[in-house]
Every structure is written in C-alpha cells, then in structure tokens.
Amino acid sequence: MLHYPEFDPIAIRIGPLAVHWYGLMYLLGFASAYLLGRWRIARGHTTFMTTRDLEDLTFYTVLGVVLGGRLGYVLFYKPMHYLQHPIEIFYLWEGGMAFHGGLLGVILVMFLFARKKGVSFFTVSDFVAPLIPPSLAAGRWGNFMNGELWGRPTDVPWGMVFPQSGDGLARHPSQLYELALEGIVLFAILWAFSAKPRKTGQVSALFLIGYGLFRFTVEFTREPDNFLGLLAGGLSMGQWLSLPMVITGMAMFVFFTARQSSR
C-alpha cells in the first residue's frame, strides 16, 4: 500500500495572488496542443491551416473547453443542484468540469472554424484530434496533484491512500491510469495513425473510439461521484457518456473507410 504524496495545490504565491498547479496543468495542456499543431503545420500535415489560424483556433478552443466543460458538469452531473443555486454555475474556482462537455464545446468551435475556412468539419477535426491526448494527460496529472477523482478500494500492491477520501482505504490511482491510457497511449496511436494520409474523418473516428474505450475501462476502477453513485446496469455516468462516443466512432470509421477519397 502506498501513501499519496500530498502536494501543495498552490504552485506560486505572490502576495494575495495564488497560482494553482491545476490551473498550470490546463495551461500546459493548451500549450502542448499549440506546439504540436505548429509542428504538424511546419511539416506539411495540413494545407488549410496557417500558424495564425492555429493561434485563433487555440484561443477559441480554450473558451470551448472551459465553457463546455463547466456547462457539461452542470447538466450531466448536478443539474438539480445548479437549478436551485444558479449563481454557483460561475464558481469555477470550486471545481467541476466534465470532459464530455468540454468536447462538445470544442466540436462547436471546430464547426464554426471550418465554416470560416470553407473546409469540411472533419478536415479540421482530423487535424485537431492528435493534439488532444497530451492535454488530457496534463489534466489527469492535475487531478492527481489535487488528490481528487481517486479510484475504488483495492488490494493491489500499488493501491494508494488518498487523505481526501477520509476512510484510510487503499484505492486505485485511477487518475494515473487515465493519464497513461487517455494521454500517452491514445496519443501514440493517433500520432502514428495520422502520420500517413488517411481518409477524411478516420482520425476523428479513431479518437472517439480510443478515448471512449479507455475512459469506459478505467471507470471500473474509479470511484463514482458520491452524489450519483452507479447508474443503470451498474455503470457510472462517465461510462454512459463514453458509450455513445465508441458507437459513433465505430460507425464513422466504417463509413469513412468505405469512401474513396483520401486527404
């Protein structure tokens, strides 16, 4: 059994100003996506995107992630609470972000960007998809440093006691599982797959399949939200939100594979 190394959640303090590690992980995630995007542009992986376009897309993607992530948490996880306390929707410093909501925010941004550039939505999403996993890894490391979103009780040798759980039980470090699968493994798969010309939409479809499967799997080791518990079929909210991603991704991959035109 391992003991959680309690991190100071504040990375930098200057007078009354406190910069939290979790916020820095978000910045690191966006920075990594931007730098990887520049790398792909410089090496001719796209013909429609310029560095200036990438800067604009990154800016609006930040807004999509934050607004979509927050509204997703409000609507998917605690709708009744926020219906009764609507002002708390704006209390971002108290936490509460949902990946699936953030993804919807990013999809909206990509749709508007594609219309502006006069290209198909999937041309844009195929460029963006391989840039996302390192950002997910940074976010999961931020969860781990915050000691939040811990796993279910376990007797595996690497089980870890998270003080915030309040029960002293060894638990799966599920944040690190997600970091490894959603961040590192998914990045390796998408980066290698997109290194060669693919039919439009295939990279996006593979992202949906990969993330959905990895998230669905890790949720078996992650403690469900105490205000929700397990839902129908003994599945968590995260699993129920991931299933449509997998199904949609598989359908997309079959559809786009049957098409003849390649990027």
Side-chain angles (χ1 to χ4, degrees):
M1 182 175 68
L2 304 175
H3 285 272
Y4 171 74
E6 296 187 56
F7 299 95
D8 184 344
I10 298 176
I12 305 170
R13 188 188 297 275
I14 304 175
L17 177 65
V19 180
H20 289 248
W21 282 110
Y22 192 68
L24 288 179
M25 291 302 102
Y26 264 80
L27 290 177
L28 178 61
F30 291 125
S32 69
Y34 173 73
L35 292 175
L36 288 171
R38 289 198 59 161
W39 189 94
R40 290 175 67 83
I41 291 172
R43 282 155 181 77
H45 285 269
T46 177
T47 58
F48 76 93
M49 181 83 73
T50 65
T51 301
R52 180 58 184 272
D53 290 331
L54 179 63
E55 292 170 358
D56 292 342
L57 182 60
T58 301
F59 173 77
Y60 289 110
T61 296
V62 172
L63 296 180
V65 168
V66 174
L67 297 178
R70 182 58 172 174
L71 291 177
Y73 182 79
V74 169
L75 296 174
F76 298 153
Y77 289 88
K78 302 178 73 173
M80 297 309 300
H81 172 83
Y82 288 105
L83 183 63
Q84 297 172 7
H85 308 87
I87 190 63
E88 293 185 15
I89 294 175
F90 303 99
Y91 292 1
L92 297 179
W93 58 88
E94 293 185 354
M97 300 285 283
F99 166 80
H100 297 88
L103 177 62
L104 292 176
V106 172
I107 288 174
L108 176 60
V109 168
M110 291 190 296
F111 174 77
L112 296 175
F113 182 83
R115 287 192 62 182
K116 177 183 176 182
K117 294 294 293 182
V119 298
S120 76
F121 168 82
F122 291 109
T123 298
V124 178
S125 62
D126 283 352
F127 175 82
V128 171
L131 314 182
I132 296 177
S135 301
L136 299 179
R140 293 311 178 190
W141 181 248
N143 294 145
F144 183 72
M145 295 186 75
N146 272 359
E148 62 188 8
L149 305 184
W150 52 77
R152 304 183 192 187
T154 182
D155 57 2
V156 299
W158 57 89
M160 188 172 291
V161 176
F162 291 89
Q164 293 92 327
S165 68
D167 54 20
L169 297 176
R171 295 175 173 274
H172 285 286
S174 54
Q175 314 97 320
L176 301 184
Y177 300 166
E178 291 187 89
L179 185 158
L181 292 176
E182 301 167 8
I184 299 173
V185 176
L186 184 58
F187 173 70
I189 293 171
L190 292 175
W191 198 258
F193 184 76
S194 62
K196 297 180 180 180
R198 303 292 178 181
K199 295 180 179 179
T200 301
Q202 283 186 320
V203 177
S204 303
L206 189 60
F207 171 82
L208 292 177
I209 296 169
Y211 179 87
L213 285 176
F214 289 148
R215 177 67 182 270
F216 186 89
T217 301
V218 174
E219 284 283 330
F220 283 114
T221 70
R222 179 172 160 176
E223 183 73 15
D225 297 288
N226 56 14
F227 54 85
L228 282 178
L230 295 176
L231 306 178
L235 301 180
S236 67
M237 175 62 80
Q239 288 173 311
W240 277 112
L241 293 174
S242 295
L243 277 175
M245 293 182 67
V246 177
I247 296 170
T248 301
M250 288 180 172
M252 285 171 51
F253 198 88
V254 171
F255 174 76
F256 289 122
T257 299
R259 298 178 66 177
Q260 296 302 312
S261 60
S262 298
R263 287 187 298 153

